[in-house]
Amino acid sequence: MIKKPLILGIESSCDETAASVITQNKQNIPIILSNIISSQIDIHKEFGGVVPELAARSHIEKIDLIVEKAIKDSGIQIENLDAIASTAGPGLIVCLSVGLSFGKALAISLNKPFIAVNHLEGHALSPKLNCKLDYPYLLLLISGGHSQYLSVEGLGKYKRLGTTIDDALGEAFDKTAKILGIEFPGGPQVEILASKGNPRKFELPKPIFKTIEEILYKKTQIAFKEFEKVNKIKADKFVVAGGVAANSNIRKMLINLCKENAITPIFPKQELCGDNAAMIAMVGLEKFKKGEFSELSHPAIPRWPLDENAIFLKGAGVKL
Ligand code: KG4
Ligand code: ZN
């Protein structure tokens, strides 16, 4: 029996080439049928960071194989797909262009609707792949490029409550790793080494006395209050998403903070914290159900904030 709806998600915004097929059951709970991720860590390691040109080349080399495998692993026939969703931004323009063009071309050839997805919205909705999550909710998005608190009020409806004016959390982890001579990407490795370290070994000077965790603790308390102010209801759940949400110390600290405030903490599954295409398909699924399809002229958008208040330069997108 053919399951419905069947959505293919494609992700190529940075250094992961990914494709995933998802559907939902009769209770509207999303089901991941396949989730393929090919990482380019080995290609970029020697340069200490992602090299856009090399990343784009690798996406081009792999995208058809990754999509083919996602279809094969899902057990469906490609012609039974209901829609194709690709990340359209934010990200590296040369990388975005690969998955976006591929998704559009596939949609044309199968005569199916195309859905352009904001990568950050993918992270924002990623917990929906493993639990029921109703709007509105308070979201902490912590990835390589973003550290922000958002009030998520519906599909496509975001209010930014606060953001960093400095490096994003993932970037801070990666820079720390670089200083310590740890190979790119260093975030996960810093976590492993930190778990074996002695937190009392060094007396840190005042300006950096507060560690990442303490800052997050305090800012999250403020975000709880801000959410209440904006929505006129107390936050009853706190969603943490993005690559850094995989960090177990940060998870533990935020879970404790939620306990103290009688708030339910919600995290994506560990393997869905980092970049993946299931989260892109998840946004695709919600948009499909609302009939929100995109024009085939939809541009790749390197800078694409989620919140309506953030400045967005008209015409900043690049048409493909
Ligand atoms: O969401 P993501 O995969 O990509 C972006 O959209 O940016 O996040 C990647 C970031 C990198 O900076 C990486 O070092 C960091 O998440 N990261 C971690 C951990 N796992 C990934 N940082 C700290 N601890 C981790 N376990
Ligand atoms: Zn990401």
Side-chain angles (χ1 to χ4, degrees):
M1 204 184 73
I2 301 165
K3 296 188 186 77
K4 287 281 173 185
L6 288 167
I7 311 291
L8 171 68
I10 298 174
E11 158 64 32
S12 71
S13 63
C14 190
D15 59 343
E16 259 99 24
T17 321
S20 165
V21 178
I22 71 164
T23 187
Q24 63 176 24
N25 65 15
K26 286 192 181 117
Q27 289 75 41
N28 292 340
I29 311 283
I31 299 166
I32 299 175
L33 299 178
S34 64
N35 188 23
I36 310 299
I37 305 174
S38 171
S39 169
Q40 303 176 358
I41 286 175
D42 286 346
I43 297 173
H44 305 291
K45 211 156 57 179
E46 61 176 298
F47 303 100
V50 177
V51 184
E53 193 59 34
L54 295 181
R57 265 193 229 182
S58 175
H59 286 309
I60 291 168
E61 279 165 17
K62 286 190 216 151
I63 189 102
D64 47 353
L65 298 173
I66 298 296
V67 171
E68 198 179 352
K69 184 153 173 48
I71 299 291
K72 190 163 177 260
D73 284 12
S74 71
I76 68 151
Q77 301 298 314
I78 197 163
E79 58 274 15
N80 290 330
L81 282 172
D82 291 291
I84 289 102
S86 287
T87 302
L92 299 165
I93 186 90
V94 282
C95 295
L96 289 166
S97 306
V98 178
L100 189 59
S101 303
F102 195 92
K104 287 177 181 175
L106 198 56
I108 295 170
S109 67
L110 295 171
N111 196 22
K112 299 289 159 97
F114 173 73
I115 300 168
V117 174
N118 182 316
H119 176 89
L120 303 175
E121 184 152 42
H123 281 301
L125 267 53
S126 59
K128 287 189 170 224
L129 288 160
N130 61 296
C131 75
K132 193 169 171 322
L133 182 57
D134 295 325
Y135 302 113
Y137 57 84
L138 173 64
L139 168 73
L140 169 60
L141 178 61
I142 35 178
S143 65
H146 295 82
S147 285
Q148 42 187 244
Y149 293 94
L150 294 140
S151 170
V152 184
E153 286 155 22
L155 184 65
K157 290 194 185 120
Y158 297 85
K159 253 189 213 121
R160 194 175 68 192
L161 303 176
T163 187
T164 179
I165 51 166
D166 205 324
D167 285 345
L169 215 48
E171 212 172 342
F173 269 103
D174 294 341
K175 282 187 178 169
T176 304
K178 205 167 182 177
I179 291 166
L180 295 173
I182 298 166
E183 270 185 354
F184 165 86
Q189 197 54 29
V190 169
E191 175 178 5
I192 293 166
L193 291 174
S195 69
K196 297 176 191 155
N198 172 5
R200 282 177 235 291
K201 174 123 182 170
F202 299 105
E203 273 282 319
L204 295 177
K206 268 272 182 279
I208 52 168
F209 179 71
K210 292 174 181 170
T211 63
I212 279 177
E213 280 179 44
E214 268 183 73
I215 292 171
L216 260 190
Y217 185 92
K218 292 233 163 81
K219 299 285 179 196
T220 302
Q221 281 177 318
I222 298 170
F224 288 160
K225 291 201 182 103
E226 283 298 308
F227 181 88
E228 198 172 336
K229 243 194 250 167
V230 167
N231 292 287
K232 315 269 182 286
I233 49 163
K234 194 180 166 303
D236 59 348
K237 46 195 176 294
F238 178 48
V239 176
V240 188
V244 186
N247 185 290
S248 50
N249 282 336
I250 289 178
R251 273 187 186 231
K252 262 186 240 153
M253 182 276 290
L254 291 174
I255 288 170
N256 281 338
L257 175 61
C258 283
K259 254 190 211 156
E260 290 163 16
N261 289 274
I263 290 174
T264 308
I266 296 171
F267 292 85
K269 277 191 177 165
Q270 200 87 11
E271 67 270 22
L272 296 175
C273 286
D275 290 347
N276 65 84
M279 67 182 195
I280 305 305
M282 182 64 231
V283 179
L285 176 65
E286 292 223 346
K287 288 196 169 206
F288 177 83
K289 290 199 276 185
K290 292 182 91 178
E292 287 183 17
F293 305 128
S294 309
E295 298 289 336
L296 287 169
S297 57
H298 194 289
I301 310 172
R303 293 177 72 82
W304 188 4
L306 269 181
D307 54 318
E308 57 209 32
N309 292 328
I311 300 160
F312 177 63
L313 295 176
K314 261 199 164 173
V318 176
K319 287 216 171 193
L320 289 177

